[in-house]
Amino acid sequence: MANKIIFPENFFWGAATASYQIEGAWDKHGKGESTWDRFTHTQGNIKNNDTGDVADDHYRLWKKDIALMKRLGLKSYRFSISWPRILPAGRGEVNKKGLDFYSKLVDALLDAGIIPFATLYHWDLPQTLEDEGGWVVRSTAEAFADYANVVSRALGDRVKNWITQNEPAVVAWLGYEMGVHAPGLKDHPKAMRAAHNLLLSHGMAVPIIKRNSGNAEVGITLNIGWKVPASISKLDRDLAQKDDGKWFRWFVDPVYGRGYPSDMVEHFTKLGALPGGLDFVKESDMDAIAAPIDFIGINYYNRIVHRSNDTDNEPQLVFPKPRTPENWTEMEWENYPEGLTGVLARVYFNYNPFKIYITENGASYSTPPDEKGNVPDELRTNYLRTHLAAAHRAIQAGVPLAGYFVWSLLDNFEWSFGYGQRFGIIWVDYKTQKRTLKDSAKWYKSVIKKNGF
Ligand code: IFM
């Protein structure tokens, strides 16, 4: 008989979503326009010109969605709050209907025995703030602190787990440097400022949330891939190191009080991305960013093998797996569970967080319902099983992993890819909004029940 994998007692078995990806109701009940509303309403930005206008219609169907969570036995649910639903103009007047929506959601989760994990920012910035410069300007970080104050005062008596920012690297680089996410800018120097203001907003919000929400735990979610050089050559090693520096160390180092990594300051300077040096960093900023946090959230999906195409390069030693559906998801991301053990160990042993949550992990496979109405998504189940086993290995090595949130509860709007990519453990028929538990959801339910497999 295969060895059993049993997780620690009180492990938080969860699922995650984000406001723009599921809620719809983009202009209902006083909600303001977000950068993603503007970006998706501009033709040519998104595959098939899909928008989040309706998405999973969760704003209307949330009670049914909580019933599904209960059916799965989820212990916790990670959702995000739409800033322009609460503060339509980004700051100032509060939209009571918006706050009520989340307040009722939280009450219903608690009634269902599901612990709410609220993320304050999963990318839908009020467009009014973008019009003033968005994350490139410091006043957006200040507005975020006010927003965090409003939300944590309203929900902080019941929400005790808070995530400030989700994947600030993605916001800064994809949104302001590469232009494939809202607001669609391609300006590296501006992206450097955006990255800093995102981090600053996190640091400013932490003490505010702690003040408003007694005994709350507060953290940040960062994305991290398993980045390896394709050979031992300096060329490949440099590529891997720089990519990791850009996407992870630039964010995690300041959060843990180490400031911006010097090799990356040098690298960004060479690229011309820091024309004025770090002139946008004010004296107290780095202390603010390093505000003590209770946990770090890790979003892990895949491995990236770095290979320089320089003709003088060494022979390649590390190869991505062959391109089969088992090995590569439909996002064209390599399925590499060992990397999850690696990143968890690295984060714990290098930065010593008190606690780690895997705040996202999952796979995009579009397996549709069969004639009996089942969704036989073994590829996803296999991905989840192998990644959970990898997470368990990290726990055995001493990593204080306290929970796992599968991405995602529902199929949803996958940013620039529109609705073509499906990460859900629940199938969503976008025409009828019918939800169907996929086989992976049924498997996950049994894992939660047995606290392992
Ligand atoms: O859908 C996204 C999510 O919003 C942030 N992390 C990665 C997921 C898959 O791309």
Side-chain angles (χ1 to χ4, degrees):
M1 200 173 85
N3 282 342
K4 280 201 173 156
I5 293 183
I6 299 297
F7 282 78
E9 243 177 84
N10 301 324
F11 193 73
F12 281 62
W13 292 105
T17 62
S19 48
Y20 187 76
Q21 293 180 274
I22 65 163
E23 284 178 2
W26 77 279
D27 60 351
K28 292 274 170 359
H29 295 165
K31 177 182 164 292
E33 187 190 21
S34 79
T35 47
W36 273 93
D37 295 320
R38 179 72 61 92
F39 193 65
T40 57
H41 293 160
T42 309
Q43 298 286 300
N45 282 337
I46 308 292
K47 192 151 185 218
N48 299 321
N49 288 316
D50 287 343
T51 73
D53 291 3
V54 179
D56 292 342
D57 206 5
H58 170 79
Y59 187 74
R60 199 169 57 84
L61 299 175
W62 59 276
K63 283 190 187 150
K64 288 194 173 155
D65 290 336
I66 292 181
L68 288 171
M69 294 178 213
K70 202 171 170 187
R71 205 169 131 196
L72 291 177
L74 289 191
K75 307 271 184 237
S76 47
Y77 172 53
R78 173 179 177 233
F79 60 98
S80 82
I81 293 173
S82 159
W83 183 347
R85 217 181 265 298
I86 308 286
L87 295 163
R91 57 168 83 81
E93 205 174 322
V94 175
N95 177 30
K96 189 171 171 310
K97 284 194 172 159
L99 262 188
D100 284 351
F101 170 70
Y102 294 107
S103 185
K104 283 190 207 144
L105 181 84
V106 165
D107 284 343
L109 286 168
L110 292 171
D111 283 349
I114 299 168
I115 294 172
F117 273 63
T119 303
L120 285 171
Y121 188 74
H122 199 127
W123 311 352
D124 36 3
L125 184 71
Q127 182 63 41
T128 47
L129 295 182
E130 185 56 45
D131 295 341
E132 295 173 14
W135 288 109
V136 178
V137 296
R138 196 178 178 87
S139 51
T140 296
E142 286 153 6
F144 181 81
D146 293 346
Y147 158 63
N149 185 35
V150 169
V151 177
S152 56
R153 279 175 70 164
L155 306 180
D157 55 338
R158 289 153 292 153
V159 174
K160 296 296 176 188
N161 293 277
W162 295 89
I163 294 166
T164 53
Q165 289 284 349
N166 178 71
E167 301 184 357
V170 173
V171 179
W173 308 145
L174 294 192
Y176 290 87
E177 184 214 346
M178 294 149 87
V180 293
H181 276 191
L185 255 66
K186 288 186 185 162
D187 187 318
H188 205 166
K190 283 190 177 163
M192 300 305 304
R193 286 169 186 263
H196 181 69
N197 290 323
L198 282 153
L199 283 169
L200 183 61
S201 77
H202 153 77
M204 289 170 134
V206 172
I208 296 173
I209 301 169
K210 292 231 162 221
R211 190 183 66 217
N212 291 338
S213 181
N215 300 321
E217 300 205 339
V218 186
I220 186 170
T221 279
L222 301 179
N223 50 302
I224 176 171
W226 184 243
K227 312 219 160 156
V228 288
S231 78
I232 53 166
S233 75
K234 183 158 174 6
L235 292 164
D236 290 345
R237 281 185 291 127
D238 274 356
L239 275 185
Q241 191 198 336
K242 293 293 169 335
D243 198 52
D244 177 63
K246 174 176 179 178
W247 288 90
F248 189 60
R249 285 185 293 122
W250 193 256
F251 296 86
V252 72
D253 279 15
V255 165
Y256 283 99
R258 299 182 186 181
Y260 288 118
S262 53
D263 65 318
M264 294 308 296
V265 174
E266 202 182 302
H267 175 67
F268 286 134
T269 305
K270 271 194 204 143
L271 291 181
L274 291 172
L278 294 172
D279 59 351
F280 47 83
V281 179
K282 290 214 177 141
E283 211 190 314
S284 58
D285 285 5
M286 298 321 280
D287 284 345
I289 294 171
I293 49 175
D294 303 288
F295 64 86
I296 184 166
I298 289 297
N299 292 354
Y300 173 83
Y301 287 91
N302 58 331
R303 170 171 80 160
I304 296 111
V305 178
H306 287 278
R307 179 74 177 152
S308 156
N309 50 21
D310 193 295
T311 42
D312 291 338
N313 204 359
E314 300 279 335
Q316 187 162 351
L317 298 173
V318 177
F319 294 88
K321 293 176 185 170
R323 293 230 173 206
T324 65
E326 287 77 24
N327 288 341
W328 290 75
T329 70
E330 290 177 20
M331 286 292 276
E332 304 211 357
W333 291 351
E334 188 186 7
N335 176 351
Y336 195 74
E338 299 84 345
L340 180 56
T341 317
V343 299
L344 289 170
R346 169 186 174 193
V347 169
Y348 179 55
F349 294 112
N350 281 349
Y351 298 94
N352 281 120
F354 295 120
K355 215 188 243 186
I356 303 182
Y357 289 104
I358 296 171
T359 40
E360 285 181 28
N361 173 246
S364 169
Y365 288 113
S366 57
T367 324
D370 62 18
E371 55 301 336
K372 291 191 194 127
N374 295 318
V375 185
D377 61 336
E378 300 89 1
L379 290 172
R380 178 175 292 97
T381 305
N382 186 42
Y383 180 100
L384 298 180
R385 185 191 297 109
T386 50
H387 282 77
L388 279 172
H392 189 261
R393 279 195 291 281
I395 295 175
Q396 286 176 315
V399 173
L401 182 69
Y404 175 92
F405 294 80
V406 62
W407 185 267
S408 176
L409 178 72
L410 303 163
D411 288 336
N412 60 46
F413 176 80
E414 178 53 30
W415 309 112
S416 57
F417 299 90
Y419 294 99
Q421 298 288 338
R422 290 178 177 265
F423 277 89
I425 56 170
I426 297 177
W427 174 270
V428 176
D429 178 328
Y430 294 114
K431 285 206 185 87
T432 61
Q433 291 297 343
K434 184 175 174 233
R435 275 81 159 130
T436 306
L437 297 197
K438 300 183 187 178
D439 286 358
S440 58
K442 296 176 191 161
W443 177 81
Y444 193 49
K445 177 181 174 170
S446 77
V447 172
I448 298 174
K449 195 159 171 226
K450 293 188 259 176
N451 200 32
F453 51 95

